[in-house]
């Protein structure tokens, strides 16, 4: 009953029809149901990957010295390509200003601006991080038909459990502050616990089981407390995992079916979302709507 | 049927009505259903965060040397604020003595006492850890409406699985003692395994997959045994995760049926949601409703 | 229908009645349903913990030098106590030889033998590991009523998924052999990958996310392959966790109820294990058995 | 309804009957339902393990110097054995060319070729990695009856969730690129972040909670960002775990309904187990059985 294609259109692309050629470009650039739209997405993804790899290689001293000119060329080629694409998007979208302010609109802009800025500004290194943000454009790949539903399930489960995850992060924060301060007092400056923020950093490294080993307790008492926080960290990983698993299990097994409409004939609920007829009495589930 | 607001009141705040102005202060300080009560909670949380950050920054040598006076001022400002709040709580609560002995009552007291003690006692460093415990006051945030239910689900699932978690911790303890002692004998003092407690510490670092690397086996046999404990640690993380996931799945999918109505005939609970007859005595579960 | 107490008796304690005083000692030592049996278990657990702690402390050079005599006394006190207990067990058990050969029988023996052997043999260090195996005796604690059922659920889920876990371990073994050999060739001896076994050890350290850092790739290609094995290790932890979670969810939600008997009256299945009456028609589920 | 034995036959072994003696060898080598077929598999597995262990030991300098001749003999013994086996497989299989091009056909070939090549070529070290790939032949063990079904369940769950896992890997890739570049700018070359690829490597080491510690941030800001990526990595492990758990739970509890009988009227599948009427067309699902 819901027009799926329409429903997934971003807000900045909803509205009345455009002139035929703008509608066509819109379909190619923003759409993903036509062969050309899909081809555009694939080319875009390949371009982004090459361009991001070029930025990464450019940061390797040895490679820049040898192939610097090539990489410079690649960078400008893709920057100009992305600039053209950005203007095409602005031209053919229904609400250009809404698009420009949207998350992807900003990422699209941020992925071209820094290259132009390097012409007038020094400090290329800081521009580099902004330029590499164009990797975020890759998330457009999720528009590809095969990922669309999957990403939605994952995001909805995440969104459903956001309060529980906040409670979890909250507890983790409290734990690392308390244990970090404890180790700061117990261990002292000799073994690297020079301040509470640094000790809290150590506590995070330990609780998350990363364990660099750049800071590590050496006194027996310090090691005993550290062992406690390790076992805690090892154990409470169960909490976010459990929350997310349970949420997905509910989504998979149709645990939220209870919300659905009851059968008009026998009144039974618990029907699958795609059910047209009651599984208990065979009565139509949609009789009243026609 | 259960008065939710009453039910969540702590024991020290249950009882007969207070005089109007005490009732009002009580509502603001302990309550979270009125706009003012909510505002109070938000201000309190912000105060606690600033005050904890100040303590953390105060422990950084460079910052203390430069901004020590400011931080001293911040500390006393919040200490006096929290002291006033503590007395207000004592005045307006229904059973002051019960509150003072409760977990949050003690945390509230411990978060102000150390600052006063530094006036008469040296050894500020040890006071610092106690002062930072005021971070625990942050858990009052869980009283905010949006977290209340979520935290309860998480805690009840944890509480339901506490025996299973004890069995798991028990097994982990045995494993680290046995493997730690084994490595102590196999590796010897050369590679840092200087005593059994230290070797057990190493075993915990390894089993929990933290892996500092400050102590690590060097002999082939030692590395073989270490590899075994690593794979064990990698695998048995599945146990607490599985326990907690299963408990949450049960809570989500309504497998945790204790919430349901008891049988009118025999009083037993635990019936399936679609049950029409009591599975214990065969009496109809719906007789009274018609 | 099954006599629970009998069912949990180990095989070496099943059989005909003993003389009254042996039956009584048997109840205290092996039983856990009488107050004295429970008290005995608690005392035993405390004794084992003290004795294991004494062995651990004895291995710390500084402590042995100062309190060596005390620890020597503690060790002999508990060894004699455990010896007496061992003989009491042999005397009052129904099938002494079966008990002596059982897992716990051997652990009980191994926890006293080494102390006597140190009288005639040097090499105390190797005895120490055997002595510390008495920590395994702690598993008797699982006989305590509150852990009995919990440990069974966990063990049965583990046992149900043992084939899947073997398949998982199998895959992990293959992965670490292949990746370890790859890194051996790519990295070479310079960065610590001196032989394939050592490289496989590194691969285990990395795949299990322990990450000591004592051996780590330094070449770009080595780091790229290492990154692959890290992401693999990070991801496939999902496999044992998923297996065990699903097994526990099935145990919790009664997913194995389908095996149960159908109702004699209406033929419906899916009844809870503790159901006496059909939840669909109210008919008795046990009618035929009486 | 489906002939299980036939169904699990690989494509290169399906077809018309062979001459009796080839059919017999085929049954022994490729089959696993006859005692001899099973014995062959067990001998093969033992041979592979010994041969792989020999390659591994051969790479240890000290062992090669002492037992090099023995290991040389073992290698050639098993190479000739595996060569014979390979030709037997080619002779008795129904479609030799399809087998030779199959995954296991290539692994079988690759596990014997390198040993012969060492006769004419130097550079034994690179051959070694190819030779050790014969460890992959071990996966034939999964043909053993007790693992067959289990591996299938695990693989199908993996296959069902492949799109979700791609979305997850996608997000992880983006995260490590963005955070790696950030640390490259913030930390600089002093602390080991010499290029973006190296920083991305560090980000992977950290996000997967491996944490070697060979590269670690030292500036306060760098440590703050690192702490963020650690908590992220600690938390999002919940995503693949949740996906796989939910998929297995569905497989276990029969939520994966594709196995069920299709509707006789409209042919649609996916009905609940207790459904009496097709939820798509309302036709009775049990009409044909009476």
């Amino acid at each position: 009953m819901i027009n799926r294609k329409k429903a997934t259109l971003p807000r900045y692309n909803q509205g009345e029809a455009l002139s035929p050629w703008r509608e066509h470009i819109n379909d190619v650039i923003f759409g993903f149901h036509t062969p050309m739209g899909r081809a555009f997405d694939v080319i875009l993804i390949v371009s982004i990957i090459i361009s991001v790899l070029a930025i990464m290689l450019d940061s390797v001293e040895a490679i820049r010295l040898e192939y610097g000119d090539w990489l410079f060329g690649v960078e400008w080629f893709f920057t100009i390509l992305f600039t053209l694409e950005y203007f095409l998007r602005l031209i053919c979208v229904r609400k250009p200003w809404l698009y420009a302010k949207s998350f992807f609109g900003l990422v699209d802009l941020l992925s071209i601006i820094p290259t132009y800025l390097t012409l007038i500004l020094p400090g290329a290194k800081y521009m580099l991080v902004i330029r590499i943000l164009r990797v975020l454009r890759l998330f457009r790949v999720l528009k590809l038909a095969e990922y669309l539903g999957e990403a939605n399930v994952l995001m909805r489960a995440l969104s459903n459990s956001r309060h529980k995850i906040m409670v979890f992060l909250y507890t983790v924060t409290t734990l690392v502050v308390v244990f970090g301060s404890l180790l700061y007092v117990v261990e002292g400056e000799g073994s690297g616990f020079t301040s509470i923020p640094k000790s809290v950093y150590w506590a995070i490294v330990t609780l998350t089981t990363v364990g660099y080993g750049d800071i590590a307790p050496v006194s027996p008492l310090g090691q005993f407390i550290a062992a406690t926080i390790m076992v805690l960290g090892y154990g409470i990983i169960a909490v976010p995992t459990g929350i997310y698993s349970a949420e997905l299990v509910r989504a998979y097994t149709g645990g939220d079916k209870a919300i659905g409409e009851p059968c008009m004939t026998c009144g039974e609920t618990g029907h699958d979302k795609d059910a047209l007829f009651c599984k208990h009495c065979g009565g139509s589930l949609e009789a009243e709507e026609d």
Side-chain angles (χ1 to χ4, degrees), chain A:
Chain A
M1 228 131 289
I2 298 163
N3 184 326
R4 216 185 136 98
K5 196 186 155 193
K6 276 277 156 49
T8 56
L9 277 184
R11 219 149 50 82
Y12 52 74
N13 218 0
Q14 289 169 1
E16 75 289 4
L18 301 164
S19 60
W21 67 269
R22 276 178 66 199
E23 189 70 69
H24 181 68
I25 298 178
N26 194 316
D27 251 27
V28 171
I29 295 189
F30 287 101
F32 44 95
H33 291 290
T34 61
M36 277 193 68
R38 201 183 151 80
F40 179 86
D41 283 340
V42 171
I43 292 170
L44 184 62
I45 288 160
V46 173
S47 302
I48 294 166
I49 290 172
I50 295 174
S51 139
V52 166
L53 284 180
I55 298 174
M56 287 174 71
L57 290 177
D58 192 42
S59 76
V60 183
E61 187 89 11
I63 294 176
R64 188 173 53 239
L65 290 177
E66 191 127 357
Y67 305 100
D69 290 348
W70 275 92
L71 293 171
F72 186 81
V74 168
E75 174 62 19
W76 275 104
F77 174 76
F78 283 113
T79 299
I80 290 164
L81 208 73
F82 292 159
T83 309
L84 288 175
E85 181 218 340
Y86 183 65
F87 282 111
L88 270 180
R89 281 182 192 271
L90 279 181
I91 289 167
C92 75
V93 82
R94 277 179 182 77
K95 292 163 187 162
W97 184 233
L98 263 185
Y99 160 71
K101 288 193 305 181
S102 74
F103 175 72
F104 275 124
L106 288 173
V107 167
D108 289 352
L109 185 63
L110 279 173
S111 70
I112 49 176
I113 287 282
T115 317
Y116 294 108
L117 283 181
T118 51
L119 291 180
I120 40 171
L121 284 170
K125 205 175 171 184
Y126 295 95
M127 289 303 157
L128 199 138
V129 177
I130 303 176
R131 265 158 64 197
I132 216 163
L133 282 183
R134 68 177 63 155
V135 78
L136 293 175
R137 302 192 66 200
L138 274 179
F139 275 107
R140 289 189 194 274
V141 82
L142 297 178
K143 292 193 319 182
L144 295 183
E146 57 262 50
Y147 294 114
L148 200 64
E150 312 286 342
N152 278 351
V153 170
L154 295 182
M155 288 307 294
R156 214 176 63 191
L158 208 61
S159 162
N160 280 349
S161 46
R162 70 186 178 287
H163 278 131
K164 289 202 193 60
I165 288 169
M166 285 304 293
V167 171
F168 169 72
L169 284 179
Y170 212 84
T171 313
V172 164
T173 308
T174 311
L175 279 176
V176 295
V177 169
V178 170
F179 274 91
S181 310
L182 212 58
L183 260 282
Y184 169 65
V185 172
V186 167
E187 279 287 322
E189 319 223 338
S191 38
F193 295 82
T194 50
S195 66
I196 294 190
K198 195 152 218 162
S199 301
V200 169
Y201 168 71
W202 166 85
I204 295 174
V205 170
T206 302
L207 188 87
T208 58
T209 76
V210 170
Y212 284 141
D214 51 351
I215 313 169
V218 294
S219 72
L221 182 56
Q223 293 186 337
F224 180 79
I225 301 172
T228 310
I229 200 175
M230 282 169 209
V231 173
L232 267 176
Y234 184 64
I236 62 178
I237 184 70
V239 175
T241 307
I243 293 170
Y244 200 68
S245 299
E247 201 64 60
L248 279 179
V249 166
R250 177 156 65 173
Y252 275 39
T253 56
D256 34 9
K257 279 193 296 192
I259 315 158
E261 295 291 307
C263 170
M264 300 297 171
T265 316
C266 74
E268 291 276 352
T269 56
H271 305 293
D272 282 351
K273 287 211 169 112
D274 57 344
L276 303 176
F277 292 92
C278 172
K279 67 179 179 183
H280 297 285
C281 71
S284 171
L285 288 173
E286 299 188 298
E288 304 306 296
E289 293 189 41
D290 299 77

